[in-house]
Amino acid sequence: MADEDWLLPSPAWTGIMVAITALYLGLFALAAKTWREKTGVALRLDVLPKRATVPLAVGLPSILVGSAFVFRFTGSPVWLFAASLIGAAASVGFHLAFVRLHRAAA
């Protein structure tokens, strides 16, 4: 799967990454708006503990981008699957932590 003939050219990957990032930011903005309308409270990540948010903000992009480089060099897709699972677990964990903090404040 990491063969040069199989992989997309760099401009195609760049376009895909820009589109995915724009989609992610759009969905985040929609989620923030919906949350604010539903609860009357702004969706703010700064209420979460910095000891969790700072390492995750630095580490998660490193894991996701690093897995793509490791995949490129090894050809093993297991790195991509592992990074996706870590990203999904982190997303669910942050959601649950935010909901718990919101309930405690209410």
Side-chain angles (χ1 to χ4, degrees):
M1 286 185 357
D3 184 19
E4 291 289 331
D5 293 334
W6 183 82
L7 295 175
L8 291 173
S10 291
W13 279 116
T14 302
I16 290 169
M17 293 306 293
V18 167
I20 288 172
T21 303
L23 177 66
Y24 170 78
L25 292 174
L27 288 174
F28 186 79
L30 179 65
K33 181 180 179 254
T34 303
W35 178 270
R36 188 174 47 253
E37 289 172 355
K38 183 178 178 183
T39 65
V41 177
L43 180 62
R44 295 178 23 214
L45 297 178
D46 63 337
V47 298
L48 296 173
K50 291 201 185 330
R51 70 184 188 288
T53 56
V54 172
L56 194 60
V58 172
L60 192 57
S62 301
I63 289 171
L64 296 175
V65 172
S67 68
F69 283 112
V70 174
F71 166 69
R72 175 82 177 199
F73 292 123
T74 65
S76 175
V78 72
W79 298 101
L80 299 174
F81 298 136
S84 294
L85 289 174
I86 291 169
S91 178
V92 169
F94 263 80
H95 172 75
L96 294 176
F98 193 84
V99 168
R100 188 171 0 123
L101 284 172
H102 183 262
R103 284 186 183 152

